Each structure stands twice: as structure tokens, then as C-alpha cells.
Amino acid sequence: MNPIRCDRTKAWSALQQAFAETGRNFDLRTAFGGQPDRFANFSLAAPHVFADMSKNLVDTQTQALLLQLARECGLEAHRDAMFSGAAINHTEQRAVMHWLLRYPAADTVVSSQDAVRGLTQELSQVHATLNAMLDFAENVRADPRITDVVNIGIGGSDLGPQMAVLALDAFATSGKRLHFVSNVDGHELDAVLKSVKPDGTLFLVASKTFTTTETMTNARSARDWFVQQGGTNIARHFAALTTNVQAAHAFGISTTFGFWDWVGGRYSLWSAIGLPLAIAIGADGFREFLAGAHDMDQHFRLAPLEANLPVRLGLLDVWYRNFHGFTSRSIAPYHSALKRLPAYLQQLEMESNGKRVDAAGEALPFATSPVLWGEPGTNGQHAYFQMLHQGTEVVPVEFVAVKAARHSLPEHHTRLLANVLAQGQALMLGKADARGHKNIAGNGPSTMVLLDDLNPSTLVALIALQEHTVFGSETLLGHNNFGIWWFE
Ligand code: F6P
């Protein structure tokens, strides 16, 4: 069943009316004054993640209408279609099953009630490939001759593993140096090649299609360099992570780890594309990583819409982008290891929702993807927060805070957490001052996403949360999130 486009529902008209009557002038300070239980009503716990959404420009009536909108658009049926393996990527006639990559092995869990009951063959292929890839990762970890691993890939074949390797640096136990080369700008590859030796290096050529110009150019140059430096054993020093195993073989690479056309590039971190992370944190860490994402999948699949965190966040996006007319959303992770999270989320959100026609190819009469941008706190505070507090644009901010630190400088962590809490508060409260340049209007919306700790389970719950949030907003907007055509 195709989702119903949001602007063709009754809830859409009701939301337009609600926006005109109360939404436009909604004031967070008044809302908190009138509703002592606002925090409780607008907070939600999901696996490994807690979100305080109380500082958003939404009242209970709007919230109810947004949920009605989701129901009228058929979000539940569309979600269930994805989890049943239906070809919901209709422009490419493909299923969308990145979630299957993190589904536990069939022999332990499949029952007639289970989501994967019709997909046991795919699931066993997933686990066979996963086991082979994790064995390979363990062998690399145990091989003292390999000191450096160079991932050559771009977009989804770079952003996910790079982001996750950085984020989970505290869990890296391999002792290997990991490098990421994505840009066709030779400065990037050249700098890496100057720092490695051919007999100590493993090159991973990561490309879903094995045709992307930047990646193939870098891979060819790396192979030429390897040969020029006297390297002979390409089979030992190159591996390919791709759905196009044939092309990898033609390139001269015999060690390959495959995945499937039902995994979108920006959703491929869970597949063989995650190999650099598996090398960094080991097979057990990678399995923990997959399990955390599966927990979030189950939440998205089973929780009622009102208690479903990805749905609630996706609805906020639609409300802000289409009724308030806010053009962007800022992501502010208050953890320096999450410094590539904004770049990763940019592809996830903007490559997915940056579409202008509906399922039937008709131009959409409303806005789709917001611009997503951000930097880790507190650095952003000293760069662009001026604009968030006093600029002419309203930008909803999504803060990500982590309760526990993994360093031994407790004073720093106290200050960091104090900063993130204070920023959300200050955006909302503002500061009245008769001197115009000192006046801060306030009423700035924000969401606080809270993790107890940054570890494999919480990181992926955070990522899967964002994937499903994008799915939710895409369903309402009625275009195809999973296709990507501008690049053809
Ligand atoms: O930019 C287009 C795109 O196809 C992305 O969707 C993808 O993540 C990236 O290029 C890399 O593609 P591949 O993994 O096939 O090299």
C-alpha cells in the first residue's frame, strides 16, 4: 500500500487551522507555566536513548493532530511493509532491509510470529556473510604484520564507518591505525600513502556499486602505488566490500565481502561496509553494535505511534518544516567523539528527503528535507550559537548529551553537561533587555537526546533512531526516501 500524501489528509487541514489559531504564537515559557507535567508528557524513553521533547513548539492538541496525520498517511502500514521485505523502494523496485542486517541469527529467534518469517533465506545469507567478515576482521586484528588499514570509499561507504570508528575510539582494541580516503582530491590519498608501508597495509575498497569515480580512481592509484613499492600479494593486501563482486574480481581483488541491493548506501554501515569498525572494536563489539540497532528496530516496529520515538521526532520535522517554515535543523552532539555525526546525518537526511516529487512523479506543493548542520558542543557555541540565540531564523536544535564520561577529568564533564543543559534553557527562556542588541527573544525550540554512555549499543540506537525518523517523515511527505536519481 502506498502512503497517502500528507497534504491530502484531514489532519493536514486541521493542522493548518491549529497553526493559524495557536501554533504560530505558541510560547514555550507560557506552556511550561500552564502545564507542570509538560516535561513528563513530552519525554520518551526508547532502547538505550531518552529524549526530552518538551522544549518544542508543540502542545497536546498539535501532538494529537500530528499523530492523526501519521495514521492517515498510513505510516504504520508503510513501516510494516518495510519490515516484511516488500519492495517499498518503488522507483527501483527494491525491498528496504538494512534492518535485517542487524536481526539476530534465525536459528535462535524465528517463529511464525516473527518479522522475518518470510525472509529466512535472506537472513541466513546475512549471517553467513557477517560471520565470514567478522572472522576476517579477527584475523586482521591478530596479524602483527598489518599495522594500517585504509578504507577507500565515499558517501555511505565512508561516512558511516568513519563516524563510528571515531565515536567508538574508546573501544578500539586492535592497535591498528585506521585511515579513510574518500575525496578524489589526491592530497588525501597522498598523505595516507606517505604514512604507510605496503607490506603493513590492508586496503579496503568500499563501494556498493564498485563504479563510483572517486573510489575507483583512489583504488587504482593505491594499487599502482602498492605495485610500484614492490608489493606483490594484492590478494592479501586488498579486500573489497561491495554488491558488485564481479567488478571487484575484474579489478584484481579476490577477497570480497558482499551485500545486497536492498541495502541503501547511506544505510550500509551494518553490512560489510562496517568492516573497518569490526577491525577496530572486534567481532564481539560489532555484534553488540548490531544488537543495539536491533533494539531500536523493535521499538520502531512495535511501539504505538504516540510512544514511538522515531515517529515523534519525524513528526516534529514535518511540523517545523511545513507549518512554521523553519528551513534547517541543527545537530549539536556534546561529545567530541561524535564529531562526524553531523556529516553522517547530513547524508541520511538530505539524500533521503531531498526530493521534490511524490510517488507518482508529481511536484510536491510543500517542503521536504530541512538543511541539517552542526558541530560538537561546546565548539559550536563559540562559532554559530550567536545566530541561534539572536539571529532572524529560528533553527530547532537537537542536542545529544552523554551522561557518563570515559576520561578521568570529572570537572570537564560537569562543565560540558552544564553547557548543554544551559544552552537548551537559554534558547527557550531568552533574556529581556531594553537595549535591543542585548535582548534575546527566546522561545527557541530544542530536543535533548540523552545517552547514559557512548558505547556500541547506544551509538547505534542513536543512528537507528535517526534512520527511522527519516523514514517517518519520508512516509508523510509521500516521496521515495530510498531512491537516488540525481547522480545517475
Ligand atoms: O552520491 C551518490 C552515492 O550513490 C551515495 O548514495 C553513495 O553512498 C555513494 O554515492 C557511494 O556509492 P558507492 O558505495 O556505490 O561507491
Side-chain angles (χ1 to χ4, degrees):
M1 193 196 92
N2 280 335
I4 313 281
R5 227 172 71 180
C6 54
D7 60 326
R8 295 176 176 154
T9 61
K10 287 196 185 114
W12 189 260
S13 315
L15 279 162
Q16 280 172 326
Q17 197 182 335
F19 180 72
E21 285 168 6
T22 54
R24 193 192 308 277
N25 299 317
F26 180 87
D27 191 282
L28 280 166
R29 294 150 294 194
T30 317
F32 268 100
Q35 303 167 5
D37 49 0
R38 186 171 167 83
F39 170 77
N41 286 346
F42 287 90
S43 296
L44 209 51
H48 312 289
V49 172
F50 175 84
D52 169 11
M53 294 173 283
S54 63
K55 295 193 187 71
N56 282 293
L57 308 180
V58 172
D59 58 17
T60 42
Q61 186 210 359
T62 309
Q63 183 63 47
L65 287 174
L66 287 169
L67 289 166
Q68 188 190 323
L69 179 70
R71 288 197 178 91
E72 281 188 59
C73 289
L75 175 57
E76 287 145 310
H78 194 52
R79 171 196 63 189
D80 295 347
M82 173 174 78
F83 282 111
S84 74
I88 61 166
N89 173 358
H90 57 84
T91 48
E92 293 167 310
Q93 281 307 308
R94 286 179 186 165
V96 172
M97 298 203 292
H98 47 278
W99 55 271
L100 194 70
L101 299 170
R102 46 226 192 186
Y103 209 92
D107 50 357
T108 53
V109 289
V110 172
S111 78
S112 59
Q113 298 302 309
D114 214 88
V116 293
R117 59 194 177 280
L119 300 167
T120 42
Q121 203 183 334
E122 287 84 348
L123 189 61
S124 67
Q125 286 171 1
V126 162
H127 280 277
T129 307
L130 175 65
N131 293 340
M133 167 191 136
L134 293 183
D135 284 351
F136 181 79
E138 286 299 331
N139 286 338
V140 173
R141 284 163 61 81
D143 186 344
R145 293 166 300 177
I146 299 293
T147 54
D148 293 84
V149 177
V150 180
N151 190 79
I152 297 177
I154 197 165
S157 300
D158 163 70
L159 290 163
Q162 191 182 155
M163 176 276 293
V165 164
L166 274 167
L168 297 177
D169 186 51
F171 295 81
T173 49
S174 70
K176 314 289 178 200
R177 290 186 300 169
L178 280 117
H179 313 265
F180 290 86
V181 174
S182 54
N183 203 329
V184 76
D185 177 356
H187 291 104
E188 213 169 81
L189 179 63
D190 189 53
V192 171
L193 294 180
K194 280 185 180 136
S195 71
V196 299
K197 298 205 162 30
D199 51 357
T201 304
L202 171 67
F203 291 96
L204 303 176
V205 183
S207 175
K208 179 177 167 182
T209 55
F210 222 78
T211 56
T212 305
T213 313
E214 291 89 338
T215 300
M216 297 328 296
T217 306
N218 281 323
R220 274 193 299 272
S221 298
R223 186 185 56 189
D224 293 349
W225 170 88
F226 180 77
V227 173
Q228 280 157 16
Q229 298 286 312
T232 49
N233 196 345
I234 291 196
R236 203 178 106 72
H237 289 275
F238 282 77
L241 321 174
T242 184
T243 58
N244 190 353
V245 172
Q246 220 179 346
H249 288 164
F251 184 90
I253 299 181
S254 52
T255 307
T256 58
F257 297 97
F259 55 111
W260 301 271
D261 68 0
W262 41 259
V263 182
R266 56 197 171 279
Y267 297 89
S268 62
L269 171 59
W270 327 97
S271 70
I273 295 294
L275 181 56
L277 180 68
I279 292 173
I281 66 173
D284 290 346
F286 198 80
R287 288 191 191 279
E288 205 185 309
F289 181 77
L290 297 178
H294 176 67
D295 292 340
M296 187 57 77
D297 292 338
Q298 292 295 79
H299 169 77
F300 181 52
R301 190 166 76 84
L302 301 171
L305 295 189
E306 53 279 8
N308 198 311
L309 187 54
V311 170
R312 295 274 297 269
L313 292 176
L315 289 171
L316 273 178
D317 255 1
V318 172
W319 173 242
Y320 283 150
R321 188 75 186 86
N322 279 292
F323 294 87
H324 284 278
F326 303 154
T327 55
S328 77
R329 172 158 60 92
S330 185
I331 174 103
Y334 274 64
H335 196 304
S336 59
L338 292 173
K339 59 170 160 270
R340 293 296 288 166
L341 182 68
Y344 174 79
L345 295 180
Q346 278 178 336
Q347 186 193 19
L348 184 64
E349 172 77 54
M350 296 198 272
E351 196 171 79
S352 299
N353 279 335
K355 309 283 163 60
R356 57 189 296 278
V357 296
D358 68 10
E362 268 181 52
L364 292 170
F366 50 79
T368 55
S369 176
V371 177
L372 193 68
W373 56 283
E375 272 289 315
T378 57
N379 295 6
Q381 286 174 214
H382 294 273
Y384 53 78
F385 269 49
Q386 163 68 40
M387 178 267 203
L388 297 181
H389 288 287
Q390 285 193 302
T392 50
E393 297 278 314
V394 177
V395 180
V397 182
E398 194 167 302
F399 295 105
V400 179
V402 182
K403 273 198 233 167
R406 287 182 175 264
H407 56 67
S408 50
L409 302 165
E411 190 205 327
H412 288 244
H413 200 58
T414 310
R415 282 181 188 274
L416 182 74
L417 291 182
N419 267 278
V420 67
L421 293 172
Q423 287 303 321
Q425 194 79 350
L427 278 169
M428 174 176 84
L429 293 179
K431 194 156 56 161
D433 196 308
R435 294 162 296 175
H437 65 287
K438 289 269 188 182
N439 190 60
I440 302 176
N443 207 33
S446 66
T447 298
M448 178 74 70
V449 176
L450 197 60
L451 312 180
D452 283 340
D453 176 32
L454 184 61
N455 60 42
S457 313
T458 58
L459 174 69
V460 288
L462 180 65
I463 299 169
L465 169 68
Q466 303 281 348
E467 285 180 353
H468 295 320
T469 298
V470 166
F471 179 89
S473 48
E474 169 261 338
T475 304
L476 268 56
L477 298 170
H479 61 75
N480 177 22
N481 166 353
F482 298 100
I484 149 161
W485 293 102
W486 75 273
F487 212 74
E488 299 290 303

